[in-house]
Amino acid sequence: MTDASLSTWVHRRAEPSWLGRLLDSKPFLVVVCLLPAIGLLMTFLTYPLALGIYLAFTDTTIGRAGIWVGIENFTYLFQDPIFWGAVFYSVFYTAIATVGKFGLGLWLALLLNNHLPFKSFLRAIILLPWIVPTVLTAIAFWWIYDPQFSIISHLLIKSGLRETNVDFINTAWPARWSLIAANIWRGIPFVAISLLAGLQTISPSLYEAAMLDGATAWQRFKYITFPMLLPILAIVMTFSIIFTFTDFQLVYSITRGGPVNSTHLLATLAFQRAIPGGQLGEGSAIAVSMIPFLVFATLFSYFALARRKWQQGETND
Amino acid sequence: MTDAAASVENKPVTAPENEAMAWDSKARRMVVLWLPLTCFVLILLFPFYWMTVTAFKPDAELYDFNKFNPLWISSPTLDHIYHLLFKTSYPSWLWTTMMVAFGATFLSLLSSALAAYAIQRLRFKGSQYVGLAIYLAYLVPPSILFIPLATMVVQLGLFDSPMALILVYPTFLVPFCTWLLIGYFKSIPFELEECALIDGATRLQILRQITLPLAVPGLISAGIFSFTLSWNEFIYALAFIQSSENKTVPVAILTELVTGDVYQWGALMAGSLLGSLPVAIFYSFFVDYYVSSLTGAVKE
């Protein structure tokens, strides 16, 4: 009886070929599925990361394999005022731009969280600065910051607020602030839309309860909105800090590190020394010196923000 | 991912309640809500407006703010666009950018869909750690990698070839796409696959006929995101490509159109406008996918 049923079953189902069996075995499938992604990342991410750290300890130039020079590149850089200028500006740029982006982005998210007509349309056009290639909008900012034909200068003079053209990018400090402004402009949409998604998950019953207890708008924000947003804020901020600190496009397009190296970020300085300058070893050393800052920024924003959330969970009053 | 979809659906329900709770008067609402919102929108859109206006202005108007109203075009002209399309290699830059973006997107989608399936569905030992490692790869910025990658690209004989970009772009696309797709696969009920398994389907059949079709929205999101990110990429394209005709649009505008001390702002702005258009059009078709993948990825 059992034999008969078994044989009919076997007949109905075609015997899988060795290939079919191989494709059905889980370990094989796991390897095959992971191979392209892991292979790509290992070859073009992990290996270059290690190679970059190695290059930082050699005197490689374009066209000549270098020899191991130990920490010579770093001792040279630590005596180089331009390097320290870039470190300072990278930290300054990241700090101010992050505060600006998150302040304004949170405000915009709160505004968008109201009941509005054409909400999805509004959201769509607000994301536009984030979608369009950075370099292209940076060029638009370059034109807006033009020393002679800046539209902002013109409007300010027309309205009688100023006598002369505004100096946006021709001296050190104005150039630094102008770049930060452009970075904030580009960063607001991403922050606002991500935080908006977080705001929409907060249950309105929390606000109802708070209003019944007589909480003011500020108290509702401080005790409900902000703590509930923290987990998302922590992630978005980690990303934002990392990508602002290692920013390259905006500064390279608008000032290329000038005037007189005053707006170099570590990334632009590394590029300038390594590719046009040919000093691959020194460029790598500059790039590698970003890593400690990145690790610190990630840990700080992750733990500073995420830990508050855990505490809130434990001592929720 | 499901969270994002749910929150979008919830919105119409929660918003009127918020409004009813706020007891806002009309005037107050005007000052607190509409005024700042209008300022935000104006400031966020102004550079695009200025770009467009500049691109269609004749040179005489461009550099004379007193005789002509700078915010408006008195006699629009297509000179700058004509110059761009017929006197420079702009069409070939567009073509290269398009090819690179499509190639990189295809490669990353393929590898990240497989990886996400393996991590989320095959559930082997240590799959979580592989997922975490791929996620961490996203935190390694291109600014740290471009120098060693440039030396690698030269050694592989790919210097000055768009192929180098197609191979390198997945380094920042794969982690993001994998992450996004893991979220999508998670939202597909496991039971569907179990049924198929009981019916005698092989794992490959399940992937091809059940999981992938159900993950199409996720694939579209990941695809358009990859396309935009590849279109925007700058530092690798700047470092790896030298000859004019192989440059991508962002690099070419900055290095080929900026000549000497006199900037041709009309042509520069026309170039920026044309370079932004494909992404903007692409974006306008898939706006909801963008928003959901952006918010979904943040929340995963």
Side-chain angles (χ1 to χ4, degrees), chain A residues 211-231:
Chain A
M211 304 242 334
L212 285 176
D213 290 345
T216 60
W218 170 245
Q219 284 172 325
R220 290 200 301 268
F221 175 78
K222 192 177 163 198
Y223 295 110
I224 301 175
T225 313
F226 192 68
M228 297 289 279
L229 265 185
L230 267 181

Side-chain angles (χ1 to χ4, degrees), chain B residues 18 28 30 47 69 90 99 114 126-127 167-168 174 185 187 197 202 228 242 246 256 293:
Chain B
N18 275 340
R28 195 184 126 82
M30 201 71 193
N69 178 1
Y90 199 82
M99 287 298 101
L114 287 174
S127 60
L167 283 175
V168 165
V174 165
F185 286 145
S187 70
L197 211 56
T202 62
T228 323
Q242 199 165 38
N246 284 342
E256 301 282 319
S293 49

Side-chain angles (χ1 to χ4, degrees), chain A residues 270-290:
Chain A
F271 180 85
Q272 199 200 39
R273 298 265 163 100
I275 308 289
Q279 301 293 332
L280 290 174
E282 197 187 321
S284 300
I286 299 172
V288 164
S289 62
M290 285 194 267

Side-chain angles (χ1 to χ4, degrees), chain B residues 190-210:
Chain B
F190 211 67
E191 289 77 11
L192 285 176
E193 289 187 22
E194 284 171 348
C195 286
L197 211 56
I198 289 168
D199 287 347
T202 62
R203 283 194 188 272
L204 271 194
Q205 279 175 323
I206 295 174
L207 177 63
R208 213 177 56 230
Q209 293 177 359
I210 296 176

Side-chain angles (χ1 to χ4, degrees), chain A residues 52-93:
Chain A
I53 295 171
Y54 167 74
L55 282 178
F57 295 98
T58 67
D59 63 350
T60 312
T61 54
I62 286 182
R64 183 176 68 82
I67 50 157
W68 182 267
V69 294
I71 57 163
E72 208 172 277
N73 283 326
F74 291 98
T75 46
Y76 171 73
L77 281 177
F78 288 167
Q79 287 157 5
D80 181 1
I82 297 177
F83 172 75
W84 286 114
V87 170
F88 161 75
Y89 187 54
S90 297
V91 173
F92 183 75
Y93 180 82

Side-chain angles (χ1 to χ4, degrees), chain B residues 79-93:
Chain B
D79 279 357
H80 301 306
I81 303 216
Y82 178 84
H83 171 84
L84 207 62
L85 290 181
F86 297 102
K87 303 263 174 68
T88 66
S89 347
Y90 199 82
S92 94
W93 300 333

Side-chain angles (χ1 to χ4, degrees), chain A residues 24 26 115 124 211 239 246, chain B residues 21 29 122 138 143 203 283:
Chain A
D24 225 21
K26 204 163 141 182
H115 181 57
M211 304 242 334
F239 274 86
T246 60
Chain B
M21 279 192 309
R29 199 174 152 81
L122 297 176
Y138 194 55
S143 321
R203 283 194 188 272
Y283 164 70

Side-chain angles (χ1 to χ4, degrees), chain B residues 117-157:
Chain B
Y117 180 76
I119 292 166
Q120 172 61 25
R121 277 305 199 241
L122 297 176
R123 294 200 172 281
F124 52 96
K125 209 172 170 191
S127 60
Q128 283 172 318
Y129 298 106
V130 177
L132 188 70
I134 289 182
Y135 162 64
L136 284 179
Y138 194 55
L139 297 177
V140 180
S143 321
I144 294 182
L145 297 176
F146 73 95
I147 298 172
L149 272 174
T151 66
M152 275 176 73
V153 161
V154 172
Q155 276 168 4
L156 291 173

